[in-house]
Amino acid sequence: MAIEFTDKIRRLPTYPTAGGYALDGFAMLASNEAPFGPMPGVVEAAAGAVLSANRYPDPSNMSLRRALAARYDFAPGRIAIGSGSCDILLSGAEALLEPGAEFVYAWPSFSVYPHMAAATGANAIVVDLDENHRHDLDAMLAEVTAATRLLIVCNPNNPTGTSLPLAELEAFVAQVPRHVCVLIDEAYCEFSTLDDPDDSIALARRYSNVVLLRTFSKVYGLAGLRVGYALCGDERFRVAVEQVRQPFFCNSVAQAAAEAALLRQDELTRRIEETVANRLTLVEGLEELGLDVADSQANFIWHSLGDGDEDEILEGLRARKILIRSGRALGRAGWARTTVGTASENRRLLDALGELV
Ligand SMILES: *Cc1c(COP(=O)(O)O)cnc(C)c1O
């Protein structure tokens, strides 16, 4: 006899891990993390929070929400916090989706979205990206019905790095019926040169059904602490995702570190500029190798692997202590997603690919 699990456990896909964490001497270009350490002041703030680790964290996350409210000029009541923004995705799914409900998202896109449908039993309506690896908003709009509860646009899109200009997004949002929650996953918006990341916030001010999802994991370099946030068009979204979770979903160290990181917008800008410059160099290098490269507005690049065998190339990179993410696991065999690392990591990667493709 074995213990019996729910139906859901059979439905749920397993998150495709990069295979290897913090390996010694490896160039970690598989998970879109920042290559930089925490920003100035963050370690001290986190250490200060550890001193009171005998106390539960503030369950209302009020200090962090107020800091975000000040930074974005947005009502604190409409800012939701999560243990990483994935926590808000999963609790948003629990709050909005159920059997009979429909959920529209694009593919290839973020691997957590299929999980949201499987976890809730909702009907996933998956719309292919267009030939430029971008969301096909017209095709997505055509899938909206009275049963649609949630529609996600990942902008810039993971894994392709492509981004839609704000004007296109706004024209789309204006046409989506108000009963549908439009969640715009902006985990990488700070790296986009198409629009100022502060500008899309107007969508969450104007449309009550819009939720902008952002994170401290990527540009702020706090992936290991797990903290993300959502700017919500309607306070009820925040209340709903708080209802479905345990009370202390974001730990005190993460809250303190995120708040300290927010104070260093100067350093943030410097890091973004460095990453964007390194992205351009990496794109040029990949193109010189004859690979197809999608237009990236993120801190990673979606590119083909030429005529070589995907497994052999990834194995060859691993032997050279470089990890990138296989495209097969992300929805497109023969392609890969490579995170923009430091200038020297990127050089190592280009040299290795030069030998392998
Ligand atoms: C990395 C990422 C996130 C953020 O995940 P966290 O849980 O905040 O670490 C969200 N959406 C997308 C598309 C991502 O790539």
Side-chain angles (χ1 to χ4, degrees), residues 45 51 53 58 85 195 225 319 327:
L51 291 175
D58 169 11
S85 56
D195 291 292
L225 286 182

Short mmCIF file of all heavy atoms in Angstrom, two decimals, residues 45 51 53 58 85 195 225 319 327:
data_model
loop_
_atom_site.label_atom_id
_atom_site.label_comp_id
_atom_site.label_asym_id
_atom_site.label_seq_id
_atom_site.Cartn_x
_atom_site.Cartn_y
_atom_site.Cartn_z
N ALA A 45 20.77 45.92 6.24
CA ALA A 45 19.34 45.91 6.57
C ALA A 45 18.87 44.48 6.85
O ALA A 45 18.10 44.23 7.79
CB ALA A 45 18.53 46.52 5.43
N LEU A 51 18.38 40.06 13.59
CA LEU A 51 18.49 40.25 15.05
C LEU A 51 17.13 40.09 15.75
O LEU A 51 17.08 39.77 16.93
CB LEU A 51 19.07 41.64 15.37
CG LEU A 51 20.55 41.84 14.99
CD1 LEU A 51 20.97 43.27 15.25
CD2 LEU A 51 21.43 40.86 15.78
N ALA A 53 14.79 37.92 14.67
CA ALA A 53 14.21 36.74 14.01
C ALA A 53 13.33 35.91 14.95
O ALA A 53 12.61 35.03 14.49
CB ALA A 53 15.30 35.87 13.40
N ASP A 58 6.05 41.34 9.93
CA ASP A 58 4.81 42.13 9.82
C ASP A 58 3.95 41.49 8.74
O ASP A 58 4.31 41.51 7.56
CB ASP A 58 5.17 43.58 9.45
CG ASP A 58 3.94 44.39 9.07
OD1 ASP A 58 2.80 43.91 9.29
OD2 ASP A 58 4.12 45.50 8.53
N SER A 85 7.61 36.90 -6.80
CA SER A 85 6.36 37.20 -7.51
C SER A 85 5.65 35.92 -7.94
O SER A 85 4.45 35.93 -8.19
CB SER A 85 6.60 38.15 -8.69
OG SER A 85 7.54 37.63 -9.57
N ASP A 195 10.37 51.38 -23.48
CA ASP A 195 9.54 52.32 -22.71
C ASP A 195 10.17 52.50 -21.33
O ASP A 195 10.88 51.63 -20.85
CB ASP A 195 8.12 51.75 -22.51
CG ASP A 195 7.34 51.71 -23.80
OD1 ASP A 195 7.02 52.79 -24.32
OD2 ASP A 195 7.06 50.60 -24.29
N LEU A 225 16.31 35.76 -1.70
CA LEU A 225 15.50 36.13 -0.53
C LEU A 225 14.01 35.99 -0.77
O LEU A 225 13.23 35.97 0.17
CB LEU A 225 15.82 37.56 -0.08
CG LEU A 225 17.17 37.72 0.63
CD1 LEU A 225 17.37 39.16 1.08
CD2 LEU A 225 17.27 36.79 1.83
N ALA A 319 30.71 21.20 -19.55
CA ALA A 319 32.11 20.75 -19.36
C ALA A 319 33.04 21.94 -19.24
O ALA A 319 34.11 21.85 -18.65
CB ALA A 319 32.51 19.84 -20.52
N GLY A 327 16.36 25.19 -24.69
CA GLY A 327 15.10 25.65 -25.24
C GLY A 327 14.04 24.57 -25.26
O GLY A 327 12.85 24.87 -25.20
#
